[in-house]
Amino acid sequence: MLPVEDVVVAVVKEDEQQSDQAEGAWYVYIVNLKDTPLRNLLVTSTGYGELDGAPRKTSTLRHFFDELDAGDYTKVEPIMDFTFGLSNEYWISFQMNDVMYDKRFIFLPESIQEKNCSVVPILNKKGVMIR
């Protein structure tokens, strides 16, 4: 399997004008830094770990996107801040140039915090990202 490069999973806090939440909300984005589109993009998300001394696991969600253009991004889903104490895993797979790729991106517990934010390329918003 070929390595996945130039694809970013980012968790971004939207301000209250961009969100229906009073304090803003966090959203997960996929950013394609490649000069080639990603086709048949499948994103599977799940959270797991321990909260308050008890094992916890979130529902597994799946999202499908026909295509993510070169140099573009897509909003995948909202993420609730109470899950930030868990490992939040995003497993993406896609086709590029008739080859299948996949990679797991894991945000470790407590890594999604404003102090860990930086500007996400192409999206031009502050967020916590994994390449």
Side-chain angles (χ1 to χ4, degrees), residues 50-74:
E50 220 176 84
L51 284 177
D52 300 323
R56 302 277 185 209
K57 185 172 184 198
T58 66
S59 298
T60 298
L61 302 176
R62 291 173 185 83
H63 307 277
F64 180 78
F65 304 93
D66 289 323
E67 187 168 311
L68 181 57
D69 288 333
D72 203 1
Y73 63 88
T74 189

Side-chain angles (χ1 to χ4, degrees), residues 3-128:
V4 172
E5 297 174 339
D6 298 326
V7 175
V8 172
V9 175
V11 178
V12 174
K13 186 173 185 183
E14 304 282 357
D15 63 32
E16 52 272 3
Q17 284 94 21
Q18 298 171 325
S19 164
D20 56 0
Q21 306 285 326
E23 301 141 10
W26 294 82
Y27 289 90
V28 177
Y29 287 86
I30 304 290
V31 182
N32 181 5
L33 302 176
K34 296 179 173 299
D35 57 7
T36 305
L38 309 180
R39 293 187 181 5
N40 301 320
L41 178 65
L42 178 65
V43 181
T44 303
S45 64
T46 192
Y48 53 86
E50 220 176 84
L51 284 177
D52 300 323
R56 302 277 185 209
K57 185 172 184 198
T58 66
S59 298
T60 298
L61 302 176
R62 291 173 185 83
H63 307 277
F64 180 78
F65 304 93
D66 289 323
E67 187 168 311
L68 181 57
D69 288 333
D72 203 1
Y73 63 88
T74 189
K75 187 184 279 188
V76 177
E77 66 184 16
I79 181 171
M80 303 300 129
D81 57 3
F82 69 85
T83 67
F84 294 172
L86 299 171
S87 293
N88 287 282
E89 176 181 293
Y90 295 87
W91 189 359
I92 67 169
S93 62
F94 58 90
Q95 286 180 308
M96 185 178 67
N97 300 325
D98 296 323
V99 176
M100 195 73 181
Y101 293 82
D102 76 322
K103 182 175 180 178
R104 288 178 196 232
F105 296 79
I106 301 174
F107 292 89
L108 296 175
E110 306 303 336
S111 64
I112 304 172
Q113 298 181 27
E114 288 192 51
K115 71 178 185 177
N116 294 331
C117 288
S118 58
V119 176
V120 178
I122 297 174
L123 186 59
N124 293 321
K125 295 181 181 181
K126 283 191 157 192
V128 178

